[in-house]
Amino acid sequence: SAVISQKPSRDICQRGTSLTIQCQVDSQVTMMFWYRQQPGQSLTLIATANQGSEATYESGFVIDKFPISRPNLTFSTLTVSNMSPEDSSIYLCSVVPGDRGYEQYFGPGTRLTVT
Amino acid sequence: AQKVTQAQTEISVVEKEDVTLDCVYETRDTTYYLFWYKQPPSGELVFLIRRNSFDEQNEISGRYSWNFQKSTSSFNFTITASQVVDSAVYFCALSEGYGQNFVFGPGTRLSVLP
């Protein structure tokens, strides 16, 4: 499995501001995903971020609100823009290691509270 | 479209009891992959198991066991002799291909009481 870290681990932000979340992996991975987990809910995929191509967003998520960067095979960022209290969630990145293509491994998550 | 159902929203058991978490899935693909993840109060998702659609053998790992039945589209998870540390939310998930995005079930919150 891959070792994944996320920064920050948690943050409290004011409405209208933006937060960039970083995801770092200890090995090169092609496939990386960003999920949102609202309080008490399951995981919802925001977008797929493959290196060398534009992120692919799921229905209900748009690039202006959740811009994603994937500059190399070990790193990605997700920005939550113009935040509102409804954006309060845990944001998780996940990867599919090249040798275990059927399994996703998750980072520890970023707990975001918007006031 | 794929779908994963976990009918049990919350389960409470007393330590040392056995408990089974249910998972029912829907997919049109003949090849697919099923997973269980554990999310303890710390929030991190922990991978527990992957099962391929073409492998219906049940699996046991310590106190954990999984029962995969294609005939009923179910992939149930049993914890034997539960412990307080098993308290967590457990998610069942389905993927239809290599690295393809996962569909997660709604999760089952398990509370193991001392």
Side-chain angles (χ1 to χ4, degrees):
Chain A
S1 65
V3 177
I4 306 163
S5 61
Q6 285 186 235
K7 290 182 181 180
S9 59
R10 59 177 66 230
D11 207 341
I12 301 173
C13 301
Q14 290 195 339
R15 179 196 301 261
T17 63
S18 297
L19 176 71
T20 295
I21 302 168
Q22 299 178 6
C23 179
Q24 179 76 52
V25 189
D26 69 340
S27 57
Q28 293 186 340
V29 294
T30 301
M31 297 182 181
M32 187 176 282
F33 304 91
W34 286 99
Y35 286 84
R36 181 176 73 182
Q37 186 179 25
Q38 294 177 303
Q41 303 295 313
S42 186
L43 284 77
T44 301
L45 181 67
I46 297 172
T48 301
N50 292 336
Q51 196 269 340
S53 62
E54 295 289 324
T56 303
Y57 289 83
E58 297 299 303
S59 176
F61 297 95
V62 295
I63 188 171
D64 290 346
K65 175 68 175 177
F66 297 101
I68 289 171
S69 77
R70 184 79 200 274
N72 56 52
L73 291 174
T74 64
F75 186 78
S76 179
T77 66
L78 168 75
T79 299
V80 186
S81 303
N82 188 24
M83 288 184 284
S84 67
E86 292 71 35
D87 294 319
S88 297
S89 297
I90 299 175
Y91 292 86
L92 300 106
C93 68
S94 71
V95 302
V96 177
D99 61 341
R100 304 297 293 267
Y102 305 101
E103 296 160 14
Q104 282 193 30
Y105 294 91
F106 287 82
T110 296
R111 291 179 182 267
L112 171 61
T113 302
V114 183
T115 60
Chain B
Q2 332 154 247
K3 184 178 179 181
V4 176
T5 303
Q6 295 177 254
Q8 304 147 309
T9 305
E10 294 190 31
I11 302 176
S12 287
V13 299
V14 177
E15 205 169 17
K16 297 185 182 177
E17 288 184 0
D18 299 347
V19 59
T20 295
L21 309 182
D22 298 333
C23 173
V24 175
Y25 62 92
E26 295 177 26
T27 177
R28 293 179 181 174
D29 277 17
T30 56
T31 300
Y32 51 90
Y33 305 88
L34 296 163
F35 307 83
W36 276 95
Y37 287 85
K38 174 182 180 180
Q39 189 175 42
S42 61
E44 187 164 357
L45 272 163
V46 178
F47 167 79
L48 295 178
I49 190 172
R50 166 176 60 91
R51 175 59 70 217
N52 306 333
S53 57
F54 45 85
D55 180 4
E56 287 195 70
Q57 278 194 334
N58 293 325
E59 184 156 339
I60 298 174
S61 176
R63 297 184 296 106
Y64 295 170
S65 62
W66 291 269
N67 184 310
F68 176 32
Q69 294 201 346
K70 289 181 74 171
S71 60
T72 56
S73 297
S74 65
F75 186 42
N76 296 337
F77 173 30
T78 297
I79 301 175
T80 303
S82 60
Q83 300 176 1
V84 173
V85 293
D86 295 326
S87 297
V89 180
Y90 291 86
F91 292 98
C92 181
L94 167 70
S95 173
E96 290 179 338
Y98 186 99
Q100 290 189 14
N101 102 75
F102 284 32
V103 171
F104 282 83
T108 297
R109 180 177 299 276
L110 173 65
S111 298
V112 181
L113 307 174

